[in-house]
């Protein structure tokens, strides 16, 4: 488009090439390609120069409008203040306490960045929102396989078991709690859709110690208050990092797992083509 307008306004290929900082052959190739695409001749070439055809004048008028819109779009893009845009962060239902503290610190240290955390029901939902531009970054418990995303491991939390105090008195020794001693207590956990591969990893470990991980009446937790109520009653246990419940009551006890290590990994995930500086700042701040 710029080549066409340049030739029309300068009255020749040589002057237009100098204006556009192109070689004359490159400019001629651009014009021929445009004529082939449109199926019309834009210029009549003579021994004394070029003359614009009626079709060329019509196309040139449209090209000027398009180039003006393009220039206006570039000016608008450069004028956008990225800090005025919210940083939309997707969160799984069970974020570790250190990460939550890191998010809080980041928000207080960067008051100009409008952090907008959003609880998300499943990993697939988070990835879809990232694809659609409805999230800028997400925290996930497994690294996505798709090349359209970049990811960085930001946290590895050792899991223990949260138990009712009267259950802990029965099953905990000096080394902690052995998983096989929890066979008669329901495993309370997140829905598998939250993080399928990590869910399967934890279920395989628990199942290997005789815990029923396929029970139809297994409890999926919707929020921490329900977790506390169910565990306090002795009906269930949960595998969580230490500090998941900020103030353990006398009815609850967090216990280390004896003889086996369960780890909750958290990955920061963002679109591979993202150029948001605030996303990079957040991920750096959460690298625990």
């Amino acid at each position: 488009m710029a080549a066409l307008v340049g030739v029309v306004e300068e009255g020749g290929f040589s002057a237009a090439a100098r204006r556009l900082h192109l070689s004359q052959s490159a400019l001629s190739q651009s014009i021929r390609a445009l004529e082939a695409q449109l199926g019309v001749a834009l210029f009549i070439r003579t021994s004394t120069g070029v003359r614009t055809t009626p079709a060329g004048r019509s196309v040139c008028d449209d090209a000027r409008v398009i180039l003006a819109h393009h220039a206006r779009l570039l000016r608008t893009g450069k004028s956008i203040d990225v800090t005025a845009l919210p940083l939309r962060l997707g969160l799984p239902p069970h974020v570790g306490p250190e990460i939550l503290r890191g998010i809080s610190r980041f928000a207080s240290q960067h008051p100009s960045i409008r952090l907008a955390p959003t609880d998300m029901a499943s990993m697939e939902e988070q990835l879809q929102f990232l694809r659609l531009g409805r999230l800028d970054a997400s925290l996930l418990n497994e690294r996505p396989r798709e090349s359209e995303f970049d990811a960085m491991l930001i946290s590895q939390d050792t899991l223990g078991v949260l138990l009712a105090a009267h259950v802990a008195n029965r099953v905990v020794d000096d080394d902690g709690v052995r998983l096989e001693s929890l066979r008669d207590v329901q495993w309370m956990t997140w829905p598998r859709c939250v993080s399928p591969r990590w869910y399967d990893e934890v279920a395989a470990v628990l199942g290997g110690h005789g815990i029923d991980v396929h029970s139809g009446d297994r409890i999926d937790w919707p929020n921490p208050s329900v977790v506390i109520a169910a565990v306090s009653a002795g009906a269930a246990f949960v595998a969580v990092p230490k500090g998941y419940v900020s103030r353990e009551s006398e009815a609850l006890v967090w216990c280390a797992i004896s003889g086996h290590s369960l780890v909750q990994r958290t990955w920061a995930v963002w679109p591979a083509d993202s150029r948001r500086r605030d996303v990079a700042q957040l991920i750096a701040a959460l690298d625990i």
Side-chain angles (χ1 to χ4, degrees), residues 52-63:
T52 308
T53 65
R57 286 192 292 273
S58 176
V59 173
C60 183
D61 289 340
D62 291 337

Side-chain angles (χ1 to χ4, degrees), residues 148-186:
E148 62 192 297
F149 302 112
D150 279 338
M152 185 174 79
L153 182 65
I154 61 173
S155 177
Q156 297 190 81
D157 296 310
T158 299
L159 299 182
V161 175
L162 194 65
L163 294 170
H166 66 275
V167 175
N169 290 336
R170 175 167 53 85
V171 300
V172 176
D173 57 28
D174 292 340
D175 295 325
V177 59
R178 294 189 176 277
L179 291 175
E180 54 267 24
S181 68
L182 300 175
R183 293 173 181 172
D184 59 346
V185 185
Q186 283 291 320

Side-chain angles (χ1 to χ4, degrees), residues 47-267:
S47 57
T48 58
V50 295
R51 187 169 73 253
T52 308
T53 65
R57 286 192 292 273
S58 176
V59 173
C60 183
D61 289 340
D62 291 337
R64 287 192 179 100
V65 173
I66 293 171
L67 291 173
H69 279 301
H70 182 257
R72 205 158 41 243
L73 179 62
L74 291 178
R75 289 194 299 271
T76 300
K78 291 177 180 178
S79 68
I80 293 175
D81 180 8
V82 176
T83 62
L85 300 174
L87 198 173
R88 299 159 300 178
L89 177 66
L91 299 177
H94 46 85
V95 181
E98 285 298 322
I99 292 179
L100 290 176
R101 284 191 282 271
I103 292 173
S104 179
R105 282 195 304 271
F106 176 83
S108 62
Q109 292 170 1
H110 298 83
S112 63
I113 296 177
R114 292 195 294 128
L115 187 61
T118 303
D119 292 329
M120 306 293 289
S122 72
M123 176 178 173
E124 185 52 43
E125 183 183 28
Q126 290 206 57
L127 295 178
Q128 186 63 12
F129 272 45
L130 287 170
R131 291 187 186 98
L132 297 173
R134 296 171 65 179
L135 286 177
D136 303 302
S138 284
L139 301 184
L140 300 172
N141 295 117
E142 60 186 79
R143 180 171 186 156
R145 295 189 173 102
E146 296 87 343
S147 60
E148 62 192 297
F149 302 112
D150 279 338
M152 185 174 79
L153 182 65
I154 61 173
S155 177
Q156 297 190 81
D157 296 310
T158 299
L159 299 182
V161 175
L162 194 65
L163 294 170
H166 66 275
V167 175
N169 290 336
R170 175 167 53 85
V171 300
V172 176
D173 57 28
D174 292 340
D175 295 325
V177 59
R178 294 189 176 277
L179 291 175
E180 54 267 24
S181 68
L182 300 175
R183 293 173 181 172
D184 59 346
V185 185
Q186 283 291 320
W187 174 38
M188 189 175 194
T189 187
W190 59 96
R192 186 177 180 275
C193 63
V194 170
S195 183
R197 293 202 304 274
W198 185 49
Y199 178 101
D200 292 344
E201 177 184 334
V202 174
V205 171
L206 298 180
H209 288 79
I211 295 171
D212 184 4
V213 297
H214 302 294
S215 174
D217 58 353
R218 196 200 66 241
I219 310 168
D220 290 340
W221 80 52
N223 58 59
S225 62
V226 175
V227 172
I228 294 170
V231 173
S232 297
F237 75 91
V238 290
V240 292
K242 190 173 185 178
Y244 175 80
V245 179
S246 58
R247 294 183 179 178
E248 294 178 18
S249 70
E250 294 182 358
L252 294 176
V253 178
W254 184 90
C255 310
I257 297 174
S258 174
H260 202 92
S261 177
L262 284 175
V263 176
Q264 174 177 303
R265 303 173 189 85
T266 302
W267 296 81

Side-chain angles (χ1 to χ4, degrees), residues 272-286:
D273 59 356
S274 173
R275 298 296 180 267
R276 291 277 299 260
R277 182 178 297 179
D278 52 355
V279 170
Q281 290 174 313
L282 172 64
I283 293 167
L286 295 181

